C-alpha cells in the first residue's frame, strides 16, 4: 500500500458532513446508517458470490489477419485484436470483439476510419497499420506499439492477461505498457497529488473521501482512465474505455548513465471486469486535446456571468443572510456574479423543495438579486427521501425510476434527508424524468445548478460510502450492476440535468457543474474541487486538480476558495483568493460552522488586496470569454501546464506551481506561508512582468516580487488579449513583440448567454521603428483594429 492508501485507510471516521448529520451512532439516524451499510454488505454477499477458481489466459501467437477500413483484425491462438486508425490519426484497439460503441465517453458515433490506413504484414510475424500521423505495430505475441511517423516509439502496450472465473462471470484483466524513459504522466481525472503523477497506485473508483481531503488522499470524486503522457518523442493520450473499478500503477522511467540502458516508464491498468479497449491520441498537446474533444464532445460553454466571481456557503440559513452578504459586496464596491445556496435552503434537505420559513419568497429574492447583477445557483443532490408524503418519491417510485437490487427491491441509503432512494440515471426514461424536475428550480428563480453527492454517496461507517455493487441498473437497455454503473452515475446525472435545462429554457445556455463525473463530462458542464482541506497543502491541491482535469478534457473547474473546512488564516485566504481569481470557476465556499469566506471578514489589508484581485478578474473578463469559446472550439483548457507550448522542455515538465492562462499569460501563485518572492520558470521567449513592465528572456528562471498585494503574472511578448477598458468597453492590450518578431492574438466577443454564433477575430502586432503597429486580419487583408488599443512593454 502506498502513502495515499495508508492515509486513506485511517480517515474513515474523519468525515465532516457525514457525522454532522449522524453525530453519534447511538442516535436513531446513526443506527439506521449502520443498518443500511450492513444490508449493503449482505446484498453483495448474496448477489455477488466469490469468484472461485479462475483460469488465466493470454493471446498466444498470431495466426492470421483480416484487413478492414482503417486497419483490421489480428487473430491470435486464444484471442483477437481489432485495430482501427481514424482519419485524424486517433487509434482504437479492442480485444475479444470489443468495439468503440456503446460508450458513455463518446459524444456520438466513433470517428470514421482512415481509408488510406491499411493493415499489412510486419517483421517477425507481426502486423502494422501505417497512417499519415501515426504507425501502429502489433507483434506476433499481441503487443501494440504506437509510433510516430518517423518510427519513434511513444507507447508499447504489452500482451494483456485475463483471469476468467471457471464457473462463469466477468473476466478481470491487466494491461501493462511501456513509455520512454523521460516520459512524465498526467491526468487520471481529479488527483490532488498532481498534476504530475509520481510513482504509485491510483484507483479508478469515484469516491467521497468522507470529509476534507489533501494531496495525500486518493481516489477522489472524479476518476478517469485517461493518461496524458509527455516525452521528448512526443505527447499522447491513452484512454482505456472501461467504467469498472480498477487501478492504475505508474512508475517513471530512468535514463541510463554513460553506457547504461534506459529503464522505460511503465503503466499497469487492472480492471475488475468490462471490455479491454483503448483509444490513443497523438500529437502536440493542443492537437491531442482537440482530437480528444472531437471524440468525447466539445466542452459546454458557460454563460458569461459564470466567468465572474461567485460566493457560496453551506449554512446561509435565511434569505436575510443572503441579502446581507450581497449587500456587503455592493457596499464595498466588490463585484459579484452569483450566490450559491447549499442544502440548508431545502425543506428538511429534500431535493426540489424550499424551506418556506427561512426563504419565504425565493423567486422574489432571485428577482431582486438579478436586478443587482447577481444570479442564484442551487445545489441538487440525487438522493430522494424515501418517506410517506414525499410527492417526488411517490412519483419516482410509480415510474420505476429508482435503482433496485438483485431481488427487485428498491435500494435504500442514508443521505442528508435520511433514508433515500436513488434515481437510475443509466435509464433514458429516468434521465428525461429527472431533467424535467429542474422546472421547479427555474420557477424558484435559479439560474444554474451544482450537483453534489453524486458519486453516488450513501453514508457508511465502514467501507465505500456508495450503493451495493450488486445493485441493478438499466445501462441504456443493456442491463448490469453497480460495478459497471458507479463511475458514470455522476456523468449521467449531469447529462439528465443539462438536457433538461436545455429543454426547459432553450434560449439560454445551461450553467451546471458537478462533483462526480467521468470521461466526456465536459459536454454537460464543469466541476469543482469538492471538500478540499483548509491549509496550505489544500491550496496546492486546488491547482493540481484544475491542471489535471484540464488535461482530461474538462476545462471549466475551480476550488473552494479558502478551503471547505476550518478557518483559514488571513494570509492563506488571500493567497487562495488570488489563485482563484485566475482560474475558470472563481468561487468561495465553506462548510457549515467553518467560518465565513467574505473578503472583509479577514481584515482591512486582506480586503484591499482582494479588491485588487477582483478588479483584475473583472478587467480580464473578455479574455475569459475568449478562452471559454476557444475551449469549446478546440478543446484547449483555459489553464494549461507551463510546458504546453514546449513539451520537449524537460525543466518545464517538472514545474507544478505555475500555469499558463491561455497562450498570453503565465500565472505564478504563492503556495507557501510567508513567501514574499517567487522563483518562476519561464518558457522560451520574452516575458513581461505585468506589474512592472520588466522584460525577461526565457527559457530560464527569474525571481519576482510576490508581496501580499499580488502574485506574479507575466505576459508573453507579442500577445494581444481582450480586456475591459476604464469605460467598461472592449479594449485590446498589446504587449510589444521582441525585435524582429511579430505577435498576435485571438478575440471572441461576448454575445450574451444564449446560443448566438461567435466570430473569431485575429489580430497581429509588429514593431515598426520602435512603435507597435496593430492590425486586424480579415479575408480582405489587414485593417485597423476598430477598438481602443493599449500598448505595453515598449
Amino acid at each position: 500500500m502506498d502513502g495515499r492508501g495508508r492515509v486513506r485507510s485511517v480517515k474513515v471516521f474523519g468525515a465532516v458532513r457525514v457525522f454532522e448529520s449522524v453525530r453519534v451512532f447511538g442516535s436513531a439516524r446513526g443506527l439506521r446508517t449502520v443498518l443500511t451499510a450492513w444490508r449493503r454488505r449482505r446484498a453483495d454477499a448474496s448477489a455477488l458470490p466469490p469468484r472461485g477458481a479462475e483460469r488465466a489466459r493470454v493471446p498466444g501467437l498470431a495466426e492470421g489477419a483480416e484487413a478492414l477500413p482503417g486497419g483490421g483484425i489480428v487473430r491470435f491462438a486464444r484471442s483477437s485484436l481489432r485495430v482501427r486508425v481514424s482519419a485524424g490519426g486517433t487509434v482504437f484497439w479492442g480485444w475479444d470483439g470489443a468495439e468503440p460503441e456503446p460508450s458513455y465517453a463518446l459524444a456520438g458515433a466513433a470517428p470514421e476510419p482512415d481509408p488510406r490506413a491499411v493493415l499489412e504484414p510486419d517483421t517477425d510475424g507481426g502486423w502494422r497499420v501505417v497512417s499519415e500521423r501515426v504507425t501502429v505495430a502489433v507483434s506476433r505475441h499481441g503487443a501494440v506499439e504506437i509510433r510516430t511517423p518517423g518510427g519513434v516509439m511513444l507507447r508499447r502496450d504489452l500482451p494483456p492477461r485475463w483471469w476468467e472465473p471457471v464457473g462463469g462471470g466477468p473476466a478481470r484483466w491487466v494491461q501493462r505498457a511501456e513509455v520512454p524513459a523521460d516520459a512524465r504522466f498526467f491526468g487520471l481525472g481529479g488527483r490532488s497529488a498532481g498534476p504530475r503523477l509520481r510513482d504509485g497506485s491510483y484507483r479508478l473508483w469515484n469516491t467521497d473521501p468522507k470529509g476534507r481531503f489533501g494531496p495525500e488522499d486518493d481516489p477522489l470524486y472524479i476518476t478517469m482512465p485517461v493518461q496524458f503522457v509527455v516525452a521528448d518523442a512526443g505527447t499522447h493520450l491513452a484512454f482505456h474505455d472501461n467504467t469498472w473499478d480498477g487501478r492504475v500503477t505508474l512508475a517513471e522511467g530512468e535514463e541510463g548513465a554513460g553506457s547504461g540502458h534506459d529503464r522505460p516508464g511503465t503503466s499497469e491498468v487492472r480492471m475488475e471486469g468490462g471490455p479491454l479497449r483503448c483509444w490513443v491520441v497523438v500529437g502536440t498537446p493542443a492537437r491531442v486535446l482537440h482530437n480528444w474533444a472531437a471524440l468525447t464532445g466539445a466542452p459546454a460553454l458557460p454563460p458569461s456571468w459564470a466567468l465572474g466571481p461567485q460566493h457560496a456557503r453551506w449554512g446561509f440559513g435565511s434569505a436575510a443572510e443572503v441579502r446581507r452578504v450581497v449587500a456587503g459586496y455592493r457596499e464595498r464596491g466588490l463585484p459579484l456574479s452569483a450566490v450559491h445556496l447549499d442544502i440548508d435552503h431545502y425543506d428538511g434537505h429534500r431535493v426540489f423543495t424550499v424551506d418556506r420559513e427561512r426563504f419565504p419568497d425565493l423567486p422574489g429574492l432571485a428577482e431582486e438579486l438579478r436586478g443587482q447583477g447577481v444570479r442564484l445557483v442551487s445545489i441538487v443532490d440525487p438522493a430522494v427521501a424515501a418517506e410517506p408524503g414525499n410527492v417526488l418519491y411517490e412519483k419516482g417510485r410509480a415510474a420505476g425510476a429508482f435503482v433496485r437490487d438483485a431481488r427487485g427491491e428498491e435500494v435504500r441509503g442514508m443521505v442528508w434527508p435520511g433514508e433515500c432512494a436513488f434515481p437510475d440515471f443509466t435509464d433514458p426514461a429516468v434521465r428525461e424524468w429527472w431533467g424535467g424536475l429542474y422546472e421547479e428550480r427555474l420557477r424558484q428563480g435559479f439560474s444554474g445548478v451544482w450537483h453534489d453527492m453524486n458519486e453516488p454517496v450513501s453514508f457508511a461507517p465502514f467501507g465505500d460510502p456508495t450503493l451495493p455493487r450488486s445493485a441493478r441498473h438499466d445501462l441504456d437497455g443493456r442491463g448490469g450492476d453497480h460495478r459497471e454503473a458507479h463511475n458514470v452515475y455522476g456523468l449521467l446525472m449531469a447529462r439528465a440535468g443539462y438536457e433538461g435545462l436545455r429543454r426547459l429554457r432553450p434560449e439560454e445556455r445551461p450553467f451546471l457543474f458537478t462533483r462526480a463525473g467521468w470521461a466526456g463530462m465536459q459536454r454537460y458542464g464543469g466541476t469543482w474541487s469538492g471538500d478540499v482541506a483548509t491549509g496550505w497543502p489544500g491550496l496546492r491541491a486546488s491547482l493540481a486538480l484544475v491542471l489535471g482535469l484540464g488535461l482530461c478534457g474538462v476545462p471549466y473547474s475551480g476550488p473552494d476558495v479558502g478551503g471547505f473546512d476550518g478557518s483559514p488564516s488571513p494570509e492563506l485566504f488571500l493567497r487562495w483568493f488570488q489563485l482563484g481569481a485566475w482560474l475558470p470557476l472563481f468561487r468561495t465556499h465553506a462548510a457549515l460552522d467553518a467560518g465565513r469566506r467574505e473578503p472583509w471578514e479577514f481584515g482591512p489589508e486582506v480586503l484591499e488586496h482582494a479588491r485588487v484581485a477582483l478588479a483584475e478578474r473583472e478587467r480580464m473578463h473578455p479574455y475569459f470569454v475568449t478562452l471559454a469559446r476557444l475551449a469549446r472550439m478546440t478543446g484547449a483548457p483555459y489553464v494549461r501546464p507551463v510546458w504546453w507550448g514546449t513539451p520537449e522542455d524537460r525543466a518545464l515538465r517538472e514545474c507544478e506551481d505555475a500555469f499558463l492562462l491561455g497562450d498570453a499569460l503565465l500565472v505564478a501563485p504563492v503556495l507557501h506561508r510567508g513567501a514574499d518572492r517567487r522563483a518562476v520558470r519561464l518558457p522560451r521567449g520574452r516575458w513581461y512582468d505585468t506589474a512592472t513592465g520588466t522584460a525577461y528572456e526565457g527559457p530560464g528562471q527569474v525571481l519576482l516580487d510576490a508581496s501580499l498585494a499580488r502574485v506574479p503574472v507575466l505576459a508573453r511578448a507579442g500577445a494581444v488579449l481582450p480586456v475591459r477598458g476604464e469605460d467598461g468597453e472592449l479594449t485590446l492590450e498589446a504587449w510589444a513583440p521582441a525585435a524582429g518578431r511579430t505577435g498576435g492574438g485571438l478575440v471572441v466577443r461576448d454575445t450574451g448567454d444564449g446560443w448566438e454564433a461567435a466570430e473569431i477575430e485575429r489580430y497581429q502586432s509588429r514593431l515598426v521603428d520602435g512603435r507597435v503597429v496593430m492590425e486586424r486580419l480579415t479575408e480582405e487583408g489587414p485593417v485597423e483594429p476598430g477598438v481602443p488599443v493599449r500598448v505595453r512593454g515598449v
Side-chain angles (χ1 to χ4, degrees):
M1 180 183 291
D2 62 3
R4 286 182 303 276
R6 285 192 292 272
V7 174
R8 177 74 177 84
S9 67
V10 301
K11 278 195 58 181
V12 173
F13 295 97
V16 174
R17 286 194 168 193
V18 174
F19 293 100
E20 194 64 42
S21 66
V22 289
R23 290 184 179 276
V24 290
F25 283 124
S27 68
R29 175 169 291 198
L31 290 174
R32 287 200 301 271
T33 301
V34 174
L35 181 60
T36 298
W38 176 77
R39 286 174 176 167
R40 185 189 70 192
R41 287 199 167 191
R42 186 180 66 173
D44 283 348
S46 173
L48 300 176
R51 296 178 63 90
E54 294 180 314
R55 183 182 297 109
R57 174 169 62 89
V58 295
L61 293 177
E63 296 181 339
E66 174 189 356
L68 295 171
I73 298 175
V74 181
R75 294 186 174 84
F76 296 84
R78 291 177 291 278
S79 191
S80 64
L81 174 68
R82 172 75 161 95
V83 178
R84 188 168 78 177
V85 180
S86 74
T90 298
V91 177
F92 170 83
W93 51 258
W95 286 94
D96 291 343
E99 292 288 340
E101 301 171 56
S103 169
Y104 285 116
L106 270 58
E112 292 296 318
D114 183 354
R116 299 168 298 176
V118 179
L119 182 69
E120 59 187 27
D122 200 3
T123 58
D124 196 27
W127 299 81
R128 68 179 181 179
V129 181
V130 180
S131 72
E132 181 181 4
R133 300 188 186 280
V134 66
T135 295
V136 183
V138 180
S139 78
R140 64 191 180 111
H141 296 285
V144 180
E145 191 167 298
I146 307 296
R147 304 172 184 163
T148 68
V152 179
M153 190 272 286
L154 294 174
R155 181 182 191 90
R156 185 170 188 263
D157 286 276
L158 303 176
R161 181 182 293 268
W162 295 266
W163 287 269
E164 298 165 331
V166 173
R172 298 183 297 119
W173 55 261
V174 60
Q175 174 73 70
R176 296 183 177 91
E178 295 178 347
V179 297
D182 65 286
R184 295 292 179 261
F185 296 99
F186 301 84
L188 295 183
R191 304 289 169 170
S192 58
R196 174 183 158 198
L197 302 178
R198 264 71 172 184
D199 295 1
S201 183
Y202 302 85
R203 191 179 177 195
L204 299 170
W205 186 255
N206 292 353
T207 304
D208 175 10
K210 296 185 178 181
R212 64 180 188 173
F213 69 86
E216 72 280 0
D217 292 297
D218 189 87
L220 298 177
Y221 316 98
I222 300 174
T223 65
M224 299 183 196
V226 178
Q227 299 177 31
F228 200 104
V229 185
V230 184
D232 288 355
T235 304
H236 76 271
L237 179 152
F239 167 52
H240 289 84
D241 193 352
N242 183 311
T243 67
W244 284 63
D245 190 1
R247 190 169 291 275
V248 178
T249 301
L250 302 176
E252 293 181 348
E254 185 177 358
E255 292 183 298
S259 60
H261 294 290
D262 286 354
R263 176 173 59 81
T266 61
S267 161
E268 179 184 273
V269 180
R270 287 181 176 268
M271 288 292 186
E272 294 302 311
L276 174 46
R277 55 183 179 175
C278 184
W279 292 89
V280 181
V281 188
V282 303
T284 64
R287 178 176 290 278
V288 166
L289 284 185
H290 179 71
N291 286 344
W292 177 243
L295 185 69
T296 61
L301 186 65
S304 177
W305 58 263
L307 297 171
Q310 305 175 51
H311 189 92
R313 192 200 304 166
W314 181 21
F316 274 119
S318 68
E321 177 65 6
V322 172
R323 287 189 174 95
R324 186 195 70 81
V325 170
V326 173
Y329 275 88
R330 187 176 65 251
E331 292 163 3
R332 293 168 177 83
L334 305 177
L336 181 66
S337 65
V339 170
H340 299 204
L341 300 189
D342 211 316
I343 56 174
D344 52 290
H345 86 279
Y346 282 132
D347 181 11
H349 296 164
R350 299 175 189 87
V351 67
F352 300 122
T353 65
V354 177
D355 186 329
R356 301 293 180 182
E357 182 177 340
R358 293 186 293 171
F359 292 87
D361 182 15
L362 194 51
L365 174 65
E367 184 178 3
E368 172 191 331
L369 296 183
R370 189 154 186 162
Q372 302 171 31
V374 179
R375 271 78 169 180
L376 279 184
V377 175
S378 171
I379 193 170
V380 174
D381 290 355
V384 176
E387 59 187 13
N390 183 354
V391 176
L392 176 60
Y393 171 68
E394 297 296 343
K395 289 183 177 179
R397 186 177 187 183
F402 299 120
V403 176
R404 297 183 175 274
D405 63 20
R407 297 175 297 175
E409 297 180 2
E410 198 172 86
V411 170
R412 300 285 182 86
M414 290 296 293
V415 200
W416 301 120
E419 193 170 39
C420 292
F422 299 84
D424 182 6
F425 296 116
T426 72
D427 185 335
V430 175
R431 291 198 294 269
E432 184 173 1
W433 168 71
W434 186 265
L437 299 176
Y438 288 72
E439 182 181 12
E440 183 274 341
R441 294 287 87 185
L442 297 180
R443 280 192 280 105
Q444 297 296 342
F446 289 106
S447 299
V449 295
W450 53 298
H451 289 172
D452 199 5
M453 309 295 287
N454 58 339
E455 288 72 33
V457 171
S458 173
F459 296 153
F462 45 80
D464 283 339
T466 189
L467 306 187
R469 290 175 174 247
S470 58
R472 302 298 300 173
H473 290 266
D474 180 76
L475 290 170
D476 286 83
R478 292 183 290 111
D481 60 39
H482 198 66
R483 292 175 297 178
E484 183 177 358
H486 174 86
N487 281 335
V488 293
Y489 191 88
L491 168 76
L492 296 175
M493 181 185 178
R495 177 179 176 179
Y498 182 84
E499 292 177 348
L501 290 169
R502 285 205 63 173
R503 290 194 305 269
L504 293 165
R505 191 167 287 176
E507 71 280 2
E508 291 185 14
R509 301 196 299 271
F511 177 56
L512 184 151
F513 61 104
T514 174
R515 192 169 80 171
W518 201 64
M521 61 182 288
Q522 73 277 358
R523 300 192 294 266
Y524 312 118
T527 184
W528 89 107
S529 64
D531 302 342
V532 61
T534 297
W536 294 94
L539 170 60
R540 192 177 192 94
S542 297
L543 177 57
L545 287 164
V546 174
L547 283 165
L549 286 163
L551 293 175
C552 292
V554 186
Y556 183 85
S557 68
D560 285 346
V561 167
F564 179 70
D565 68 312
S567 299
S569 67
E571 180 191 5
L572 174 60
F573 175 79
L574 177 60
R575 293 309 196 187
W576 219 317
F577 200 85
Q578 290 169 332
L579 169 62
W582 295 99
L583 299 179
L585 173 60
F586 180 20
R587 180 182 94 141
T588 58
H589 185 44
L592 190 67
D593 301 327
R596 302 186 186 278
R597 292 291 188 269
E598 294 85 58
W600 56 88
E601 297 289 344
F602 296 88
E605 183 181 17
V606 169
L607 174 59
E608 289 311 305
H609 296 328
R611 185 191 307 280
V612 172
L614 283 166
E616 187 65 3
R617 174 65 176 228
E618 288 295 282
R619 191 179 78 90
M620 298 301 299
H621 187 269
Y623 187 51
F624 276 93
V625 169
T626 294
L627 294 177
R629 288 281 185 175
L630 294 177
R632 180 162 180 81
M633 295 174 184
T634 69
Y638 313 22
V639 170
R640 309 164 186 178
V642 291
W643 48 257
W644 177 262
T646 53
E648 68 278 3
D649 187 331
R650 295 189 179 186
L652 291 180
R653 287 184 217 156
E654 313 299 322
C655 180
E656 301 177 277
D657 60 357
F659 60 91
L660 298 176
L661 183 63
D663 287 330
L665 300 177
L666 190 159
V667 182
V670 174
L671 305 177
H672 300 282
R673 179 190 293 111
D676 58 4
R677 304 197 79 188
R678 254 228 56 169
V680 182
R681 183 162 293 281
L682 303 177
R684 67 188 177 208
R686 176 174 295 177
W687 295 85
Y688 295 99
D689 186 327
T690 58
T692 65
T694 304
Y696 301 94
E697 297 294 333
Q701 185 169 282
V702 296
L703 191 63
L704 301 179
D705 173 63
S707 67
L708 284 175
R710 63 181 289 254
V711 296
V713 179
L714 299 104
R716 190 189 302 271
V720 177
L721 58 157
V723 299
R724 278 181 180 157
E726 294 182 0
D727 59 357
E729 297 300 317
L730 179 68
T731 297
L732 297 181
E733 188 166 88
W735 290 88
R741 306 292 297 272
T742 60
L746 305 177
V747 176
V748 184
R749 303 198 188 205
D750 192 346
T751 59
D753 296 334
W755 300 96
E756 298 86 352
E759 177 186 359
I760 297 180
E761 300 176 8
R762 302 176 185 274
Y763 293 89
Q764 178 179 277
S765 64
R766 52 195 173 91
L767 280 177
V768 178
D769 299 327
R771 182 173 62 91
V772 175
V773 175
M774 274 283 300
E775 298 170 318
R776 180 181 175 186
L777 304 179
T778 69
E779 293 182 357
E780 291 74 29
V783 299
E784 292 292 322
V787 295
V789 177
R790 180 191 181 197
V791 176
R792 303 187 64 186
V794 176

